[in-house]
Amino acid sequence: MRSPRLTIALAALAAVGAGEAFAAGSAVASQTFLWLALIIFLARLSSFVERFGVPGVLGELLMGVVLGNLTLAGIGMFEPIAQDTTIAVFAELGVVILLFQIGLETTVAELAKVGFRAAAVALIGVVVPFLLGTFVVGPLLLPGLGLNAYLFLGATLCATSVGITGRVFRDAKRLDSREARIVLGAAVIDDVLGLVILAVVTGFVQSGTVSARDVGIIVLEAFGFLVGAVVIGRAAAPYLVRILKGVSDSVATKLTLLLSVGLGLAWLAHAIGLAPIIGAFAAGVLLEPIFLKDFEAPEIVRELEPLVAKLPQLDADRAGKALERYRHHHHEHILEPLGHFLVPVFFVFTGMQVKLEALADPAVIGVALALTVAAVAGKVVSGIAAGPVDKWVVGWGMVPRGEVGLIFAAIGKQLGVVNDALFSVIVAMVILTTLATPPILAWLLARQRRESPLA
Amino acid sequence: MRSPRLTIALAALAAVGAGEAFAAGSAVASQTFLWLALIIFLARLSSFVERFGVPGVLGELLMGVVLGNLTLAGIGMFEPIAQDTTIAVFAELGVVILLFQIGLETTVAELAKVGFRAAAVALIGVVVPFLLGTFVVGPLLLPGLGLNAYLFLGATLCATSVGITGRVFRDAKRLDSREARIVLGAAVIDDVLGLVILAVVTGFVQSGTVSARDVGIIVLEAFGFLVGAVVIGRAAAPYLVRILKGVSDSVATKLTLLLSVGLGLAWLAHAIGLAPIIGAFAAGVLLEPIFLKDFEAPEIVRELEPLVAKLPQLDADRAGKALERYRHHHHEHILEPLGHFLVPVFFVFTGMQVKLEALADPAVIGVALALTVAAVAGKVVSGIAAGPVDKWVVGWGMVPRGEVGLIFAAIGKQLGVVNDALFSVIVAMVILTTLATPPILAWLLARQRRESPLA
């Protein structure tokens, strides 16, 4: 009769028609609320590392590593979070919002300018690690596993998690640099190439053969999606804006336009086999501010604009510019709270996937370190193709494997190709590339800023 | 080898250690993105009803009813949404955010002023419908079901879903009216009383007996939570603000403070058997703006404040007030996008729980209508205790049963006390009270506004 019993009764409800989803969702929901509250609170606390020049994203990743491994200290309370699929959805939504925001801060013109360089960087960043993994590092470090295992190792080394790099560039307010454009463009192409390699390797492992026609279809589908999304999206956007504005011209409408396009393309990307974040990035790129300028100005702008016009010329100009900038960036402001809420969930959750036990065996550490060196070298070398920019920044920008690497390795394990030992060293490599990149990239960006302060 | 296969391979991943949650979450996540994009887009389209004076919330509910019943027209595509537990979590998060926002716009002082009236309204609004359902309407309309069934019917009639009423008050910008305060206060007390009745009835049905001690414990726990949350929360808030501000003084920190307290108390409320929205409301009430004033002002305020000071006295005052208001309400602004995103998910999802088949049988319709009349009368009569205000507004404010009524009925069905026929008429009653209230309440508020335009 006491309330815990009632809670159990509520939680036990299942398959009773209307109300079922609510009752079932209610117990999950309230557990989710606790996890979300804890994650965002602790993530915010972890941002104190920024005082020491450490990127905030590393603080969040490390907070995740700590939370995910507290069981080693006998604290099992946070253990369920890492396996919670609802939190996984919020985490994925977080990185989708992040890449959508980054896409909104990127224009097609800027990407086109670096298109050739980005393609070259992506190609090298996929071919070199793949060959290195399959034919050199695999056979050398883990002899006797067979070609299939080495192929999967190679495929995993191709992955790039642009979320981590994008966040570092964004926090450093360097998304408008040529280096950032090249890395973003290369990461998108990289994802397509990675998809092709994963599909080819999976097909080869399953059937021992791969047809050029199948590969061609995958490539066409993926590039067709990207080009189609941006071209069709840009053509359709003004009409979509007009329809929604016709219904109501408010902040809610603007946000709905942004989110329905962003989430819709994230779904579409996944449906054709790409990562959802690639769809979200494409959505951000296609929704340039020009489509949003027709919406009503935010209230504070409407209120102050006539007043500041009365200021002396110089001050009126300054105030007018501030209001104009606020208005022009209003779509970014209204996405900002969603980002502040959900993006840390992704990074903490990613950190929680790291199992320190995997690093407990000295033999594993040795192999993992060697593999990491190869993983870093294979990507950093791609910076060569970046042209007259800081090649180190571009190369290191491609290094983190993040959740993409983990998913590749998990597929290999599922197929029975990747055994426990190989899986452990892959996970260790993913951890090390993911944790090492933010501080190194931040240091490279700071050095660049010091050397050419006007850039 | 084509991408659908790859998608399946990704979706089929399970139980493979690190990467598992990501891979499993990834397929769910991208499906969730599609549903969310569809829901918020269609919800926004439905807001065209506002042009005809119909409250937006009814548009969203009806859009949900349409989506949830398209199977009747042979379109099964949206069918899975209504059973999707991940969407249920987002919906619940939406109503939690709504009640948190409403709480933030409410102060303890305002609630205390109407405390006595609210308690009286809540008491009548629980006792009358309970007696009416158990001893009059039940035996009269559905003879031969037995006392246990009538007790559950009575308990279901006690429920109040404050989300719907709160949204109507908020959209009409009347949250600061005395009527709104009374309804909000009464709804909170109502939830506690409803919890007690549900626990008592459940205990009686299961064991045939109920001890006064058990009832006392539930009442103490529930009221202890509410009073404790607000008292302890208000004492602790300044320290929490100081800790978080010490880490970093930014919009992200302010939002983290808001959300971690709001979600944390929503969880705590559920943990002791109350509805999560009651915890969210309490969190909003305890986090009065005074705790948030110490945070750094938003960028636009910092930029413009020194400039507008140079305006002629009168204009400087107006501009200064606009900036001050913007700053003072900044915490509401940063929650606004989360609300615009998630609140419609709740109302569309609630609408989707409505199965029109339940209304197909003329006999069911007759009984359902009679039950609805009793359900409305039992709550409207509680307005009598509201004192010198518009009693109709208060009474109708208590009418909608919403998801709370559905959960009560579902528990009864689970216990085997509520049979299919009773369940159908209860669901129909919940539908009718939920859909009828927004337009009637909006009409009452408009009438009130016409009659005393200065109120």
Side-chain angles (χ1 to χ4, degrees):
Chain A
M1 262 290 291
R2 294 199 44 189
S3 44
R5 262 222 229 149
L6 182 75
T7 311
I8 292 163
L10 279 163
L13 277 174
V16 287
E20 167 213 354
F22 262 117
S26 190
V28 179
S30 107
Q31 189 58 55
T32 306
F33 298 158
L34 176 64
W35 293 150
L36 289 176
L38 270 172
I39 289 175
I40 59 174
F41 186 79
L42 294 173
R44 200 88 280 275
L45 285 188
S46 79
S47 71
F48 81 91
V49 298
E50 288 173 2
R51 303 228 168 148
F52 309 102
V54 177
V57 58
L58 183 62
E60 294 170 11
L61 284 167
L62 288 176
M63 181 58 88
V65 174
V66 171
L67 285 179
N69 290 279
L70 276 178
T71 25
L72 298 179
I75 301 166
M77 166 186 175
F78 302 104
E79 185 71 3
I81 304 181
Q83 267 80 47
D84 191 314
T85 45
T86 306
I87 296 292
V89 171
F90 278 92
E92 182 99 26
L93 182 58
V95 75
V96 157
I97 298 235
L98 175 63
L99 267 288
F100 183 48
Q101 289 177 314
I102 290 175
L104 279 168
E105 294 169 35
T106 311
T107 67
V108 176
E110 288 163 341
L111 277 183
K113 248 189 269 175
V114 299
F116 176 72
R117 296 288 181 190
V121 168
L123 207 64
I124 298 180
V126 162
V127 171
V128 174
F130 183 69
L131 296 179
L132 214 56
T134 311
F135 299 109
V136 183
V137 185
L140 226 89
L141 291 177
L142 299 146
L145 284 184
L147 182 59
N148 283 350
Y150 302 145
L151 280 171
F152 245 95
L153 177 61
T156 309
L157 287 183
C158 297
T160 304
S161 170
V162 72
I164 289 155
T165 300
R167 167 88 186 259
V168 174
F169 277 119
R170 193 160 193 264
D171 285 356
K173 299 198 190 312
R174 295 299 294 275
L175 268 181
D176 54 354
S177 67
R178 204 173 151 83
E179 286 85 351
R181 304 292 172 215
I182 293 178
V183 172
L184 288 173
V188 171
I189 301 170
D190 212 43
D191 196 69
V192 177
L193 296 177
L195 165 74
V196 174
I197 289 193
L198 184 63
V200 171
V201 169
T202 307
F204 184 76
V205 166
Q206 284 175 326
S207 64
T209 172
V210 157
S211 88
R213 192 172 152 275
D214 287 340
V215 174
I217 288 174
I218 294 171
V219 173
L220 279 181
E221 268 187 0
F223 280 102
F225 164 76
L226 282 175
V227 175
V230 174
V231 170
I232 297 175
R234 289 172 77 88
Y239 299 96
L240 199 61
V241 170
R242 209 177 300 163
I243 292 170
L244 279 173
K245 254 193 55 160
V247 173
S248 88
D249 185 358
S250 66
V251 175
T253 308
K254 206 195 274 187
L255 185 75
T256 302
L257 175 72
L258 290 167
L259 286 178
S260 50
V261 174
L263 295 178
L265 286 188
W267 165 78
L268 196 58
H270 185 265
I272 67 157
L274 290 172
I277 53 173
I278 298 300
F281 179 74
V285 171
L286 82 87
L287 277 180
E288 272 177 46
I290 189 153
F291 300 125
L292 306 168
K293 73 170 175 11
D294 288 342
F295 277 97
E296 191 184 56
E299 200 184 337
I300 184 86
V301 174
R302 276 179 290 142
E303 255 182 307
L304 290 181
E305 230 160 25
L307 291 173
V308 300
K310 298 182 192 168
L311 281 166
Q313 191 62 43
L314 220 71
D315 289 329
D317 279 357
R318 276 180 59 197
K321 262 185 203 149
L323 285 174
E324 190 49 37
R325 196 169 58 244
Y326 182 77
R327 182 190 177 151
H328 189 73
H329 290 278
H330 187 234
H331 61 283
E332 293 170 21
H333 295 305
I334 58 177
L335 279 175
E336 213 53 69
L338 284 169
H340 289 318
F341 173 27
L342 295 166
V343 174
V345 178
F346 172 74
F347 289 109
V348 172
F349 188 72
T350 302
M352 291 192 76
Q353 303 305 312
V354 172
K355 294 292 161 213
L356 292 180
E357 296 107 294
L359 298 175
D361 184 347
V364 171
I365 297 188
V367 178
L369 282 178
L371 183 60
T372 304
V373 171
V376 170
K379 287 287 186 185
V380 168
V381 79
S382 70
I384 289 177
V389 296
D390 189 329
K391 294 176 172 57
W392 289 103
V393 169
V394 173
W396 270 99
M398 306 293 289
V399 164
R401 264 48 170 205
E403 81 291 357
V404 187
L406 288 180
I407 291 178
F408 275 32
I411 292 176
K413 201 171 173 193
Q414 176 78 0
L415 291 171
V417 179
V418 173
N419 66 16
D420 280 352
L422 181 54
F423 190 74
S424 292
V425 295
I426 289 180
V427 170
M429 176 276 291
V430 171
I431 297 171
L432 292 171
T433 56
T434 303
L435 296 184
T437 302
I440 291 173
L441 208 51
W443 178 79
L444 286 170
L445 287 174
R447 187 188 66 169
Q448 199 186 19
R449 177 77 80 186
R450 265 200 315 279
E451 285 173 7
S452 50
L454 293 174
Chain B
M1 261 288 292
R2 295 198 45 186
S3 42
R5 261 222 231 149
L6 182 74
T7 311
I8 293 163
L10 279 164
L13 279 174
V16 288
E20 166 213 354
F22 261 118
S26 191
V28 179
S30 106
Q31 188 58 54
T32 306
F33 298 159
L34 176 64
W35 294 150
L36 290 177
L38 270 171
I39 290 175
I40 58 172
F41 187 78
L42 294 172
R44 202 86 279 277
L45 285 188
S46 78
S47 71
F48 81 91
V49 298
E50 288 173 3
R51 302 230 169 146
F52 308 102
V54 177
V57 59
L58 183 62
E60 294 170 10
L61 284 168
L62 288 176
M63 181 58 87
V65 174
V66 171
L67 285 179
N69 291 279
L70 276 177
T71 24
L72 298 178
I75 302 166
M77 166 185 176
F78 303 103
E79 185 70 3
I81 303 181
Q83 267 81 49
D84 190 314
T85 45
T86 307
I87 295 293
V89 171
F90 278 91
E92 182 99 27
L93 182 58
V95 74
V96 158
I97 299 240
L98 175 63
L99 267 288
F100 183 48
Q101 290 177 314
I102 290 174
L104 279 168
E105 296 169 33
T106 311
T107 66
V108 175
E110 288 164 341
L111 276 183
K113 248 189 272 175
V114 299
F116 175 72
R117 297 286 181 191
V121 168
L123 207 63
I124 299 180
V126 161
V127 171
V128 175
F130 182 68
L131 296 179
L132 214 56
T134 310
F135 300 109
V136 183
V137 184
L140 226 91
L141 291 176
L142 298 147
L145 284 184
L147 182 61
N148 282 350
Y150 301 144
L151 280 171
F152 246 95
L153 178 61
T156 309
L157 286 183
C158 298
T160 303
S161 170
V162 71
I164 289 154
T165 300
R167 167 87 186 262
V168 175
F169 277 119
R170 191 160 194 264
D171 286 357
K173 300 198 191 309
R174 296 299 294 274
L175 268 182
D176 54 355
S177 67
R178 203 172 151 85
E179 286 86 352
R181 303 292 172 217
I182 293 177
V183 172
L184 288 174
V188 170
I189 301 168
D190 211 44
D191 196 69
V192 177
L193 296 177
L195 165 74
V196 174
I197 288 195
L198 184 62
V200 171
V201 169
T202 306
F204 183 76
V205 166
Q206 284 176 325
S207 64
T209 171
V210 157
S211 88
R213 192 172 153 275
D214 288 340
V215 174
I217 288 172
I218 294 171
V219 173
L220 279 182
E221 267 187 2
F223 281 101
F225 163 75
L226 282 175
V227 175
V230 174
V231 171
I232 298 175
R234 289 173 77 88
Y239 299 96
L240 199 60
V241 169
R242 208 178 299 164
I243 291 170
L244 278 173
K245 255 193 55 159
V247 173
S248 89
D249 185 358
S250 66
V251 175
T253 307
K254 207 195 276 186
L255 185 75
T256 302
L257 175 71
L258 290 166
L259 286 178
S260 50
V261 173
L263 296 177
L265 284 188
W267 165 78
L268 196 59
H270 185 265
I272 67 156
L274 289 173
I277 53 173
I278 299 300
F281 178 75
V285 172
L286 82 85
L287 277 179
E288 271 178 47
I290 189 153
F291 301 124
L292 306 167
K293 73 171 175 8
D294 288 342
F295 278 98
E296 190 184 58
E299 199 185 338
I300 184 85
V301 174
R302 275 180 288 141
E303 254 181 306
L304 290 181
E305 230 160 26
L307 291 173
V308 300
K310 298 182 192 168
L311 281 166
Q313 191 62 44
L314 221 71
D315 289 330
D317 279 356
R318 277 181 59 197
K321 262 184 203 150
L323 286 174
E324 189 48 37
R325 197 171 56 245
Y326 182 77
R327 181 188 180 155
H328 189 73
H329 290 279
H330 187 234
H331 62 283
E332 293 171 20
H333 294 306
I334 56 177
L335 279 175
E336 214 51 70
L338 283 169
H340 289 319
F341 173 27
L342 295 166
V343 174
V345 177
F346 171 74
F347 290 108
V348 172
F349 188 72
T350 302
M352 291 192 78
Q353 304 305 312
V354 172
K355 293 291 160 214
L356 292 180
E357 295 107 294
L359 297 175
D361 184 348
V364 171
I365 297 188
V367 178
L369 282 178
L371 182 60
T372 304
V373 171
V376 170
K379 287 288 187 186
V380 168
V381 80
S382 70
I384 288 178
V389 296
D390 189 330
K391 294 177 172 56
W392 289 102
V393 169
V394 173
W396 272 98
M398 305 293 290
V399 165
R401 265 51 171 203
E403 81 291 357
V404 186
L406 288 180
I407 291 178
F408 274 31
I411 293 175
K413 204 172 171 191
Q414 176 78 359
L415 291 171
V417 179
V418 172
N419 66 15
D420 280 351
L422 182 54
F423 190 73
S424 292
V425 295
I426 289 180
V427 170
M429 177 276 291
V430 171
I431 297 171
L432 292 171
T433 56
T434 303
L435 296 184
T437 303
I440 291 174
L441 209 51
W443 178 79
L444 286 171
L445 287 174
R447 188 189 64 168
Q448 199 185 22
R449 177 78 81 187
R450 264 198 317 278
E451 286 174 7
S452 50
L454 292 174

